Amino acid sequence: DTGVSQNPRHKITKRGQNVTFRCDPISEHNRLYWYRQTLGQGPEFLTYFQNEAQLEKSRLLSDRFSAERPKGSFSTLEIQRTEQGDSAMYLCASSLELPNEKLFFGSGTQLSVL
Amino acid sequence: DQQVKQNSPSLSVQEGRISILNCDYTNSMFDYFLWYKKYPAEGPTFLISISSIKDKNEDGRFTVFLNKSAKHLSLHIVPSQPGDSAVYFCAASDRNQFYFGTGTSLTVIP
């Protein structure tokens, strides 16, 4: 068990560019979550998958954000036409199906939009 | 609307003393509560959890207390060690999502 893996660790991009992040969850975990965290705040829910199905999306997730989890394994989060307000740490987490199963987080992808 | 609140942004304690971190929640549907610890530039790591059917859970130096009537939980660390210095997040689950507080930065002074 190598834990939750996220790539890249850091991403610097110019405003208006598209970026894509990848998350590899713990292999037997069927739930995968994406969170966003900014300085001084807690992780903020974006979306989650159970296997390949995207079950819930936050109202905060604009149309510029899209996430996929093909075949129920790894997941990608794409942000189109990035804005400076998108600068944040993007965290991926996985778990077995609830109830009472804890989240295991990756190290995150730090996005800076210039 | 913040459903999980940590009203103390920071806390400093002397090494060897008790650290008490507090958390309040508003949603009575939450039935599972967790504490995470986070170092800079790393993802949060799980510390301890408690189900809503319990009022206390202990793991070594860490104890979590749950008061359902007050919608309040707390994390006790005793004795506190310098390596405990980190940001601590409280989280609550309604079986679909996990909701996080804004964190408390703990500094343990040697």
Side-chain angles (χ1 to χ4, degrees), chain A residues 32-48:
Chain A
L32 187 148
Y33 297 76
W34 285 98
Y35 285 84
R36 177 172 62 189
Q37 185 176 18
T38 53
L39 201 62
Q41 299 298 315
E44 179 182 54
F45 172 78
L46 294 178
T47 188
Y48 88 94

Side-chain angles (χ1 to χ4, degrees), chain A residues 40-104:
Chain A
Q41 299 298 315
E44 179 182 54
F45 172 78
L46 294 178
T47 188
Y48 88 94
F49 294 83
Q50 180 154 314
N51 300 312
E52 66 275 11
Q54 188 173 18
L55 295 188
E56 193 165 342
K57 288 174 61 172
S58 167
R59 302 188 291 273
L60 303 170
L61 211 63
S62 77
D63 291 343
R64 297 184 298 106
F65 288 71
S66 62
E68 294 182 344
R69 193 184 183 196
K71 303 178 183 177
S73 55
F74 71 92
S75 176
T76 57
L77 177 68
E78 181 183 17
I79 308 174
Q80 296 182 326
R81 305 181 302 281
T82 53
E83 301 173 357
Q84 287 186 323
D86 297 331
S87 296
M89 170 78 82
Y90 289 84
L91 293 163
C92 175
S94 69
S95 76
L96 293 169
E97 188 170 344
L98 297 174
N100 296 359
E101 289 293 337
K102 54 186 177 283
L103 286 179
F104 291 82

Side-chain angles (χ1 to χ4, degrees), chain A residues 9 33 35 37 42 56 103, chain B residues 36 41 89 95-98 101:
Chain A
R9 287 294 305 273
Y33 297 76
Y35 285 84
Q37 185 176 18
E56 193 165 342
L103 286 179
Chain B
Y36 282 82
F89 291 101
R95 301 192 174 208
N96 286 311
Q97 287 187 38
F98 292 80

Side-chain angles (χ1 to χ4, degrees), chain B residues 7-19:
Chain B
N7 293 317
S8 298
S10 62
L11 175 68
S12 292
V13 298
Q14 290 287 337
E15 180 179 4
R17 305 295 291 270
I18 185 171
S19 296

